[in-house]
Amino acid sequence: MTCWYEGPLAAFDTETTGVDVETDRIVSAAVVVQDAPGTRPRVSRWLVNPGVPVPEAATAVHGLTDDHLQRNGRWPAPVMYEIAEQLAEQTAAGRPLVVMNAPFDLTILDRELRRHRASSLDHWFASSPLLVLDPRVLDKHLDRYRKGRRTLTDLCAHYEVTLDGAHDAGADALAALDVVRAVGRRFAARLERLSPAELHTLQSVWHAAQARGLQAWFARSGTPETVDPAWPLRPELPAAAA
């Protein structure tokens, strides 16, 4: 029987106006589908005119300017519908969804759906539950004592995965998918007996523990930052706190 990391996978990534999931916007997104390692991936891409200015700091990361997005981007409402529909189709087809740092990308998509579609991400997965594989959570749990950062670029270097065109949504999604396959192979003895559904549940526990550890480290260092333990989707903030 084929292990999940040798079988069909999909991956999702976004580029955004910033790092605040409650207020920032999606400017590009991609869904990558691959039926097996080494097969040609199928890539769906979206370019979005977010309707708000794109900060220079964000443009410096992904290269997407206000002018380019205004000329070539689509309005957010239909795009968010299409992205959510595509993700739901992948889940319904039984493909686990690879999302690097899932609480960011999935939460910002949820907030965009609420903003532009009066909907939510949960609505799309009412019949087929979302199954997420997050390379950051997996790697941090399985190789917890390794020193160094764990950005996508770092994980690609560590697992010898090619990343061509970092901070392009399609390139990042494909690289994250390849990293998950590499993690699966490297830790096969610990992962091959687990189904994607079991891994989804375990990652929620692992991420919460990782968040508590990071929160404790912030407290010791006097950093006021708060770490959200929710995974793979952060709950909606009350209106008064948004």
Side-chain angles (χ1 to χ4, degrees):
M1 183 176 177
T2 302
C3 295
W4 58 263
Y5 49 83
E6 302 292 358
L9 294 175
F12 172 61
D13 188 74
T14 66
E15 296 299 328
T16 64
T17 60
V19 297
D20 187 331
V21 295
E22 303 298 338
T23 58
D24 280 306
R25 312 297 176 90
I26 294 173
V27 295
S28 70
V31 173
V32 174
V33 181
Q34 188 182 47
D35 294 325
T39 61
R40 186 180 181 87
R42 303 185 294 279
V43 184
S44 300
R45 300 176 183 271
W46 294 268
L47 194 65
V48 186
N49 179 352
V52 299
V54 180
E56 291 182 5
T59 297
V61 172
H62 49 59
L64 298 172
T65 64
D66 275 331
D67 182 66
H68 180 75
L69 293 171
Q70 289 170 10
R71 290 174 180 270
N72 301 286
R74 297 169 56 201
W75 289 114
V79 171
M80 301 312 150
Y81 180 94
E82 290 170 15
I83 294 172
E85 183 178 50
Q86 173 78 276
L87 297 183
E89 286 175 358
Q90 300 311 318
T91 297
R95 297 186 187 95
L97 184 65
V98 175
V99 191
M100 173 71 185
N101 192 17
F104 178 82
D105 290 84
L106 294 182
T107 302
I108 201 168
L109 174 60
D110 175 78
R111 302 315 191 247
E112 289 279 51
L113 286 166
R114 294 174 187 273
R115 184 178 294 120
H116 297 290
R117 303 291 312 188
S119 180
S120 70
L121 197 57
D122 287 339
H123 166 79
W124 289 89
F125 297 98
S127 57
S128 298
L130 187 63
L131 296 178
V132 176
L133 299 170
D134 187 332
R136 186 174 183 273
V137 174
L138 290 170
D139 172 74
K140 196 169 184 179
H141 177 79
L142 295 164
D143 198 0
R144 67 182 68 184
Y145 299 113
R146 189 177 81 249
K147 302 292 186 183
R149 293 162 45 112
R150 299 179 195 248
T151 67
L152 179 59
T153 300
D154 298 317
L155 295 185
C156 286
H158 181 71
Y159 289 99
E160 300 181 343
V161 166
T162 299
L163 174 55
D164 291 326
H167 300 297
D168 169 84
D172 286 358
L174 179 58
L177 188 152
D178 288 340
V179 166
V180 161
R181 293 198 190 281
V183 170
R185 296 187 193 104
R186 185 167 299 186
F187 297 98
R190 298 167 66 182
L191 294 177
E192 63 184 357
R193 295 181 181 275
L194 295 171
S195 69
E198 290 170 326
L199 265 178
H200 181 98
T201 300
L202 285 170
Q203 286 171 100
S204 179
V205 176
W206 296 343
H207 179 271
Q210 293 162 10
R212 288 194 298 271
L214 183 56
Q215 190 71 72
W217 185 85
F218 282 153
R220 290 193 300 270
S221 62
T223 302
E225 187 171 346
T226 300
V227 184
D228 194 324
W231 183 97
L233 180 66
R234 296 175 189 168
E236 185 184 16
L237 287 176

